[in-house]
């Protein structure tokens, strides 16, 4: 279960964690591990999120697992029936395109094929990006 603030802001993260715990009937001491996204995203947002997770994990002696948003989205398409390439594209609030290609298959976690494409779309993605913009909603 996740929480999406009506007004996303770095100062809301602790309140969102408290709300999520209350909604699920959990207390901090019930947690065995914590997870945090490490990008792509705003520097301040990532830093505040990691600080909040570390602040909760440290007194509880909980391990912290991290992943990128692109890794989480790629993992969402599993399990796949046969080996394939999964391309994840995400458009930020600042209209920057973040993308990454993964090799994935049955009973496998996605493995990175390329470095994240951050900021501008590289030339080999230009034609795909132009087509994507024409067909996608919300651009």
């Amino acid at each position: 279960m996740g929480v999406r603030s009506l007004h996303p802001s770095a100062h809301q993260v602790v309140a969102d964690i408290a709300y999520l715990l209350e909604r699920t009937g959990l207390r901090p001491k019930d947690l065995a591990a914590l997870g945090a996204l490490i990008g792509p995203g705003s520097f301040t947002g990532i830093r505040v999120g990691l600080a909040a997770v570390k602040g909760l994990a440290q007194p509880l002696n909980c391990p912290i697992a991290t992943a990128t948003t692109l890794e989480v989205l790629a993992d969402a398409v599993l399990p796949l029936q046969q080996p394939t390439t999964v391309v994840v594209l995400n458009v930020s609030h600042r209209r920057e395109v973040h993308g990454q290609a993964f090799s994935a298959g049955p009973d496998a976690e996605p493995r990175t094929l390329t470095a994240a494409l951050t900021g501008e779309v590289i030339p080999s993605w230009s034609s795909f990006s132009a087509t994507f913009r024409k067909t996608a909603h919300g651009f």
Side-chain angles (χ1 to χ4, degrees):
M1 172 184 270
V3 172
R4 179 176 281 276
S5 293
L6 294 176
H7 306 289
S9 177
H11 73 275
Q12 279 293 118
V13 70
V14 174
D16 288 344
I17 292 170
Y19 173 77
L20 184 59
L21 289 171
E22 181 183 324
R23 242 346 261 267
T24 58
L26 294 172
R27 296 177 304 203
K29 69 177 186 170
D30 297 328
L31 303 174
L34 298 169
L37 293 176
I38 56 171
S42 75
F43 177 74
T44 300
I46 293 168
R47 190 173 55 173
V48 168
L50 288 171
V53 168
K54 186 173 181 182
L56 182 58
Q58 198 167 19
L60 299 171
N61 201 28
C62 282
I64 299 171
T66 60
T68 70
T69 302
L70 302 174
E71 290 167 340
V72 171
L73 292 172
D75 190 59
V77 301
L78 299 178
L80 298 168
Q81 300 303 315
Q82 55 189 329
T84 190
T85 299
V86 176
V87 177
V88 178
L89 293 175
N90 188 31
V91 180
S92 74
H93 296 291
R94 295 181 183 169
R95 298 178 57 95
E96 296 172 332
V97 176
H98 302 271
Q100 195 166 6
F102 298 88
S103 173
D107 303 318
E109 293 182 22
R111 286 181 298 130
T112 302
L113 290 177
T114 60
L117 308 173
T118 306
E120 296 186 43
V121 180
I122 60 173
S124 63
W125 288 83
S126 294
S127 62
F128 175 78
S129 175
T131 303
F132 182 74
R133 285 191 186 127
K134 290 177 190 172
T135 59
H137 297 289
F139 284 83

